[in-house]
Amino acid sequence: MKKLVKTLIICGSIIGVIGVCVLSSHLVLKYKYNIDSIEVMNGLNNINKKVDEDKACSNKFNEEDKEKAIEIINASTNDFIQNDKDNIVLDYDRLVNQMQTVIELNDREVGAICSTYVDNSKNNECEVGGFTFDVELLELTFNDLKEKSCDLTTVFKISVSSFKEQMNVFPLNIAKDMVPNDIYLFSTVTVNKGDSAFEYSLTSTSFKMNACTIKQTSPLFEIVDLVFDIGNSSEINLLIGSTIVDSLIGTETNKGLAYNMKIVGASDYNFVEKNGEILFRIERDI
């Protein structure tokens, strides 16, 4: 999770640097690196457009969703999850009895659980280069369910106001007006179910930032990757997706919620549809 948070912060904090580079390096970007500087400029113009958070995130989870998710999981696992104020504590000592029922959670409930992994990272804050950034998972949504796959969309919000306030020295002051106070990252990955229990792989489906289109976002992150070697937009999208899915499902090396329950009878995971709603299910041995 720390790698994800720091990567997201780097993405948010260098928009001003990109602006300066584009303003001064059009020919270098176009002919040396084959990066479309026109799309980059269009993207920079759209980044600073105000994002209507309520409209962009129509499926935001809340505290009630977290409490409901804990109630559902604990009803099957003898109070495996303890809600300690703002933190969720996984009490493995309580994982002694077999799961009583399969566990089914909707996307809002899953989002509320996954958000605690972000929130617990320095209380939703991280410091990079002397600046403190707030990182928040706003929304998690399931869609496009197929026989062996389901799309998972997350929305992250990064506050970069502390960085923007310091952009008063040349050449950063040239691009200060391009930098918004908040960066919104919209990530969609496809979770592909494998043939073995708990097996999955991810495909990068779409990734965009603020009011930018996917096409405008991609070259912005090509510049970021040239400077900081953190990956292109597809690679960052997969980092976001794998961090969330690893915490939800898990593997032998990155044990997530479902994988941890193998010791009490969890046999696999699945995505199912009930009454028009997509649910994440932790199966159990019968």
Side-chain angles (χ1 to χ4, degrees):
M1 181 58 72
K2 288 183 179 179
K3 179 182 178 182
L4 170 62
V5 171
K6 288 203 171 186
T7 300
L8 295 182
I9 286 170
I10 290 173
C11 296
S13 62
I14 62 175
I15 299 303
V17 178
I18 293 176
V20 174
C21 292
V22 173
L23 289 173
S24 60
S25 309
H26 170 80
L27 294 179
V28 174
L29 289 174
K30 181 174 179 61
Y31 294 106
K32 184 174 182 178
Y33 297 109
N34 196 31
I35 295 175
D36 190 340
S37 58
I38 301 301
E39 285 294 351
V40 172
M41 287 303 301
N42 290 336
L44 288 172
N45 289 333
N46 283 335
I47 282 176
N48 206 24
K49 291 181 180 179
K50 183 175 177 59
V51 175
D52 185 336
E53 189 172 303
D54 290 334
K55 184 177 180 180
C57 304
S58 59
N59 195 46
K60 291 174 70 173
F61 49 81
N62 53 38
E63 186 67 23
E64 290 182 1
D65 295 311
K66 183 174 77 171
E67 292 174 357
K68 181 63 176 176
I70 293 173
E71 178 185 335
I72 292 170
I73 295 170
N74 283 346
S76 178
T77 60
N78 193 35
D79 295 339
F80 167 50
I81 295 184
Q82 303 296 303
N83 193 5
D84 180 18
K85 295 182 179 179
D86 293 330
N87 297 331
I88 286 181
V89 179
L90 306 182
D91 189 351
Y92 293 99
D93 291 336
R94 292 178 178 268
L95 281 179
V96 294
N97 300 317
Q98 290 296 101
M99 288 173 58
Q100 300 301 303
T101 62
V102 298
I103 294 172
E104 294 179 338
L105 304 171
N106 65 27
D107 48 12
R108 289 165 58 97
E109 292 158 352
V110 168
I113 293 292
C114 288
S115 71
T116 62
Y117 289 90
V118 179
D119 295 343
N120 292 348
S121 178
K122 292 191 175 182
N123 293 323
N124 222 32
E125 295 182 348
C126 190
E127 185 173 311
V128 175
F131 299 100
T132 299
F133 298 84
D134 293 324
V135 179
E136 183 180 2
L137 174 62
L138 296 179
E139 181 178 87
L140 186 152
T141 305
F142 300 145
N143 48 66
D144 197 19
L145 176 65
K146 297 177 181 176
E147 183 179 357
K148 299 198 71 172
S149 70
C150 183
D151 283 359
L152 185 151
T153 298
T154 54
V155 182
F156 278 89
K157 178 181 179 180
I158 310 165
S159 174
V160 297
S161 56
S162 65
F163 175 79
K164 183 178 179 179
E165 290 170 0
Q166 302 302 314
M167 293 179 64
N168 297 317
V169 180
F170 181 84
L172 291 181
N173 61 338
I174 299 175
K176 185 174 182 178
D177 290 341
M178 295 182 180
V179 181
N181 291 324
D182 299 307
I183 297 291
Y184 293 84
L185 297 178
F186 301 85
S187 161
T188 299
V189 296
T190 300
V191 183
N192 306 292
K193 183 168 174 53
D195 295 328
S196 302
F198 300 100
E199 182 183 355
Y200 59 89
S201 62
L202 301 181
T203 303
S204 177
T205 303
S206 70
F207 182 67
K208 62 181 182 176
M209 177 167 48
N210 284 32
C212 297
T213 64
I214 297 172
K215 185 178 180 181
Q216 292 165 350
T217 299
S218 180
L220 286 174
F221 281 90
E222 289 184 52
I223 299 175
V224 174
D225 189 33
L226 283 173
V227 178
F228 292 93
D229 193 27
I230 62 172
N232 58 32
S233 59
S234 292
E235 291 167 330
I236 293 173
N237 195 30
L238 288 173
L239 173 61
I240 295 172
S242 63
T243 302
I244 296 299
V245 177
D246 282 352
S247 69
L248 179 62
I249 303 172
T251 64
E252 180 64 34
T253 54
N254 295 297
K255 292 183 172 64
L257 178 65
Y259 198 93
N260 273 319
M261 292 185 182
K262 284 180 67 176
I263 61 176
V264 291
S267 59
D268 204 353
Y269 78 94
N270 215 333
F271 292 95
V272 299
E273 183 174 350
K274 283 190 173 181
N275 301 320
E277 184 177 37
I278 301 174
L279 304 175
F280 173 71
R281 174 191 282 172
I282 302 177
E283 309 280 5
R284 71 183 182 110
D285 292 326
I286 299 176

